[in-house]
Amino acid sequence: MSSSSASSVFSALAPYGWDEAWAEAFAPYEAEGLLPGRVVRVDRGQCDVVTADGLLRADTAFVTPHDPLRVVCTGDWVAVEPGGNPRYVRTYLPRRTAFVRSTSSQRSEGQILAANVDHAVVAVSLAVELDLGRIERFLALSWESGAQPVVVLTKADLVPDAVTLSYLVQDVETSAPGVPVVPVSSVDGAGLDVLAAIVGGGTSVLLGQSGAGKSTLANAMLGEDVMAVQSARDVDGKGRHTTTTRNLLALPGGGVLIDTPGLRGVGLWDAETGVAQVFSEIEELAERCRFHDCAHEAEPGCAVLTAIETGELPERRLESYRKLLRENQRIVAKTDARLRAEIRKDWKRKGAIGKAAMEAKRGPHWRS
């Protein structure tokens, strides 16, 4: 590629995140005459790709492996054929990050929602009661993806009392250590400048339930009504899916935004590291437990249980931590034979301990 051609590629793709590292990774495909581009939408085996030649429609038939985590997805950087009818995506470049959840199917497959994301913006509506457990679930997936999470409390105009709003922010901050929590209002623009400063210059994926105000927030960030908006029910804040596919859009102040459909189910997918990050204070307390394999249930010298007794740690946090760890273990066990065997062994060990304790309690002659 000539220097002028390389310059035109950079000027066209830089607003979508193209940089020297991506150019270096693409070099082998450049030698084959392929075009670099970023996937802005995927739909039924085809995708829209933004390139230096403009927006192209391409078929993904060359990149359709059995592994659902290796399909082309929104946010991927790809190598596209320069011509042809149909035009094909030949491959995608190695992903820097990937946001993955488990599907609701019995097969428990992973589903990739977005690739090469720098910030995971979790939208939470203040029109309904906060569900801290759901927020923690989103954050676990976000941390596991490799992206920096940001919690955005939408519809802040519905909480006009500043003191009440500050308490709600504090509640979320307690459940989101190390995560910025930003209350915003798409009605009066409050907080949007703070959010723009956090996510500017990178790629952000917008996540949340239906009715969380994601499309309204996306429009406010984009400065125009790009995404359709539907009202949510006042009783539970739920609405129909406004966004039906994942779309990548350039932000006017720099960076790009991937809007996603509202997620009814947010299953973990091999997110042990992410769970540990969300509950970092519990992980730190666990290091002070007397036993290195402490389950934080009834063991003597448990620093986690002591923290609950003193009020340092809310009991709800420990319950949520246990729940997400159990769920993640079940998901991983379905694809890991060794782990399944370890879990069965642990169940048998605990069963034997329980049986021995019961027999000791009843005495040696209880069967007679």
Side-chain angles (χ1 to χ4, degrees):
M1 183 183 296
S2 66
S3 59
S4 59
S5 298
S7 177
S8 64
V9 168
F10 262 89
S11 61
L13 297 183
Y16 293 90
W18 187 253
D19 56 28
E20 293 286 353
W22 287 121
E24 183 177 350
F26 186 77
Y29 306 106
E30 175 191 328
E32 297 178 22
L34 300 176
L35 299 176
R38 193 165 197 190
V39 177
V40 300
R41 178 188 173 99
V42 178
D43 182 26
R44 299 178 181 177
Q46 293 189 315
C47 62
D48 294 333
V49 183
V50 62
T51 72
D53 293 343
L55 190 65
L56 306 177
R57 186 74 167 167
D59 196 300
T60 63
F62 275 110
V63 196
T64 53
H66 294 298
D67 184 352
L69 300 182
R70 298 180 62 191
V71 299
V72 171
C73 89
T74 304
D76 273 326
W77 286 99
V78 296
V80 188
E81 293 178 343
N85 187 19
R87 189 191 305 263
Y88 288 98
V89 171
R90 287 299 183 90
T91 189
Y92 61 81
L93 300 184
R95 294 162 176 158
R96 294 178 181 175
T97 63
F99 193 98
V100 180
R101 68 164 178 173
S102 68
T103 65
S104 57
S105 69
Q106 294 299 315
R107 292 176 294 178
S108 297
E109 294 178 335
Q111 179 189 21
I112 183 165
L113 298 180
N116 303 312
V117 172
D118 301 297
H119 294 94
V121 180
V122 180
V124 180
S125 173
L126 289 176
V128 294
E129 184 177 354
L130 290 175
D131 185 342
L132 298 177
R134 180 170 289 273
I135 293 173
E136 288 161 347
R137 179 180 293 273
F138 270 110
L139 293 177
L141 289 171
S142 300
W143 282 120
E144 191 69 32
S145 75
Q148 165 68 51
V150 181
V151 177
V152 175
L153 302 179
T154 65
K155 308 180 184 182
D157 52 285
L158 299 180
V159 188
D161 182 66
V163 175
T164 301
L165 181 60
S166 68
Y167 283 141
L168 292 171
V169 171
Q170 289 175 19
D171 285 344
V172 177
E173 287 176 338
T174 300
S175 300
V179 176
V181 179
V182 185
V184 304
S185 170
S186 299
V187 174
D188 57 24
L192 290 174
D193 56 340
V194 177
L195 178 60
I198 293 173
V199 304
T203 297
S204 302
V205 60
L206 188 53
L207 306 160
Q209 288 184 284
S210 297
K214 293 190 295 83
S215 294
T216 302
L217 177 61
N219 286 336
M221 295 175 68
L222 291 162
E224 56 182 318
D225 292 340
V226 175
M227 310 305 297
V229 176
Q230 294 176 348
S231 61
R233 297 193 299 255
D234 292 335
V235 64
D236 56 10
K238 293 181 179 179
R240 292 172 293 172
H241 292 315
T242 300
T243 306
T244 57
T245 59
R246 288 171 283 280
N247 303 278
L248 185 147
L249 303 158
L251 294 170
V256 295
L257 179 69
I258 299 176
D259 193 19
T260 65
L263 301 174
R264 291 191 179 93
V266 193
L268 299 186
W269 179 259
D270 197 4
E272 182 177 355
T273 302
V275 172
Q277 187 77 33
V278 175
F279 299 94
S280 56
E281 81 276 32
I282 296 179
E283 294 280 318
E284 291 172 4
L285 286 168
E287 293 179 359
R288 305 205 298 265
C289 290
R290 181 182 300 177
F291 304 108
H292 74 278
D293 58 347
C294 183
H296 321 307
E297 293 176 350
E299 296 87 346
C302 176
V304 175
L305 295 180
T306 299
I308 288 179
E309 292 172 0
T310 61
E312 179 186 352
L313 177 69
E315 189 171 357
R316 188 206 65 79
R317 285 281 285 170
L318 179 57
E319 291 174 353
S320 183
Y321 174 67
R322 288 169 172 163
K323 179 181 179 180
L324 292 182
L325 279 182
R326 286 195 301 267
E327 177 184 330
N328 190 71
Q329 189 179 55
R330 286 196 300 270
I331 290 294
V332 175
K334 288 183 178 181
T335 57
D336 188 328
R338 180 187 58 80
L339 181 58
R340 285 198 300 273
E342 289 180 358
I343 292 174
R344 284 195 295 269
K345 183 178 179 180
D346 188 52
W347 284 344
K348 290 180 179 179
R349 180 181 64 82
K350 290 181 178 178
I353 292 173
K355 183 179 179 181
M358 182 62 70
E359 291 181 348
K361 182 178 180 180
R362 290 174 171 175
H365 307 295
W366 71 274
R367 290 182 182 274
S368 59

